[in-house]
């Protein structure tokens, strides 16, 4: 599976297992997702461009390295992407944020767009698309297709969980987009849910079920 980064760090795996449990409360699910997103931000920004700046410590001058967080755009696929977005913003607070509203048609499972709002000058920015579940891949494919119209410098996709079907679909449509995930589960069921998965991420984040 080329271009898939499986984040196997023990802290990530531990938190993901706690989130999967059906008895995890909305509160703990949200908190764990937040923590996981911070850890995943660490991995996905590993190759971020840095620049040198001159600073002074209490003892002497030196050249330090900084990132330009403003060049980064987190694009959250509504509504579940918001759970990852919060955690990522807490480690890159200067990042810009875009939102894409897509819902899954329950019959066809295809993605229907209802909202699209991005920062300006996307051609000058690196995009990290976030959505907890890469299941059928339809939303991710539609989101990336739409984003490519704005010609950003790069696009990465971050999810908590995926499955072979989701990876295949996204990679077939967008082989240039790397996928970062904490787990590759067994399969999709007939309703487009990942097995064993963690259920409906949006409902679990927002307590809507
Ligand atoms: N979306 C979810 O929230 N859960 C799944 O298992 C698949 C898609």
């Amino acid at each position: 599976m080329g271009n898939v980064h499986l984040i196997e760090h023990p802290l990530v795996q531990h938190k993901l297992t706690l989130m999967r449990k059906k008895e995890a409360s909305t509160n703990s699910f949200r908190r764990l997702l937040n923590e996981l997103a911070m850890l995943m931000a660490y991995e996905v920004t590993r190759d971020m461009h840095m620049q040198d700046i001159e600073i002074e410590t209490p003892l002497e001058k030196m050249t330090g390295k900084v990132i330009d967080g403003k060049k980064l755009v987190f694009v959250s696929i509504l509504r579940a992407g918001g759970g990852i977005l919060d955690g990522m913003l807490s480690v890159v607070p200067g990042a810009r944020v875009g939102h894409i509203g897509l819902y899954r048609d329950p019959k066809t499972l295809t993605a229907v767009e209802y909202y699209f709002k991005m920062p300006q000058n996307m051609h000058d920015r690196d995009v990290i698309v976030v959505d907890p579940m890469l299941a059928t891949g339809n939303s991710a494919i539609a989101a990336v297709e739409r984003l490519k119209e704005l010609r950003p410098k790069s696009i990465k996709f971050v999810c908590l969980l995926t499955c072979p079907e989701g990876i295949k679909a996204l990679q077939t449509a967008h082989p240039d987009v790397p996928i970062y995930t904490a787990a590759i589960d067994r399969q999709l069921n007939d309703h487009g849910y990942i097995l064993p998965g963690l259920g409906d991420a949006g409902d679990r984040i927002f307590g809507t079920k």
Side-chain angles (χ1 to χ4, degrees):
M1 292 201 188
N3 233 358
V4 178
H5 301 255
L6 183 59
I7 304 174
E8 291 176 299
H9 192 286
L11 286 175
V12 168
Q13 295 303 317
H14 175 86
K15 289 176 196 296
L16 178 60
T17 300
L18 299 184
M19 289 178 74
R20 287 180 187 269
K21 289 177 159 186
K22 64 178 180 191
E23 64 271 23
S25 67
T26 300
N27 183 10
S28 63
F29 189 90
R30 204 182 282 151
R31 182 179 43 78
L32 287 161
L33 179 56
N34 218 274
E35 292 168 1
L36 252 172
M38 288 190 229
L39 296 167
M40 293 184 82
Y42 180 80
E43 284 297 329
V44 74
T45 55
R46 193 176 273 283
D47 59 356
M48 227 178 134
H49 177 71
M50 291 187 287
Q51 63 199 44
D52 290 346
I53 60 163
E54 301 303 316
I55 59 165
E56 248 181 284
T57 76
L59 299 176
E60 61 179 38
K61 289 187 178 173
M62 67 164 280
T63 306
K65 290 193 182 301
V66 289
I67 58 164
D68 186 359
K70 296 193 287 294
K71 287 280 162 65
L72 201 59
V73 185
F74 294 130
V75 173
S76 167
I77 300 184
L78 298 171
R79 66 185 165 145
I84 297 188
L85 176 66
D86 291 345
M88 293 219 166
L89 277 177
S90 58
V91 281
V92 193
R96 300 306 188 234
V97 176
H99 286 96
I100 302 185
L102 295 164
Y103 68 86
R104 281 209 292 186
D105 183 301
K107 287 210 179 79
T108 62
L109 302 182
T110 55
V112 184
E113 182 183 311
Y114 63 90
Y115 189 73
F116 187 84
K117 185 82 180 171
M118 294 298 137
Q120 296 198 320
N121 303 324
M122 287 291 281
H123 58 273
D124 203 22
R125 302 183 191 277
D126 293 301
V127 170
I128 296 177
V129 183
V130 298
D131 193 358
M133 312 297 273
L134 175 59
T136 61
N138 292 338
S139 304
I141 291 168
V144 171
E145 226 157 68
R146 215 36 192 95
L147 285 163
K148 280 185 173 174
E149 290 172 15
L150 304 178
R151 303 194 172 282
K153 275 165 65 183
S154 69
I155 304 180
K156 292 175 176 171
F157 187 88
V158 177
C159 57
L160 275 192
L161 273 187
T162 187
C163 54
E165 295 90 332
I167 292 176
K168 186 165 177 223
L170 182 54
Q171 290 205 318
T172 303
H174 300 292
D176 52 322
V177 174
I179 300 168
Y180 290 76
T181 185
I184 302 171
D185 276 9
R186 191 178 70 246
Q187 67 180 97
L188 274 189
N189 72 9
D190 293 342
H191 305 284
Y193 280 87
I194 295 173
L195 298 176
L198 49 70
D200 187 299
D203 281 341
R204 298 202 65 188
I205 295 166
F206 298 110
T208 41
K209 213 172 204 172

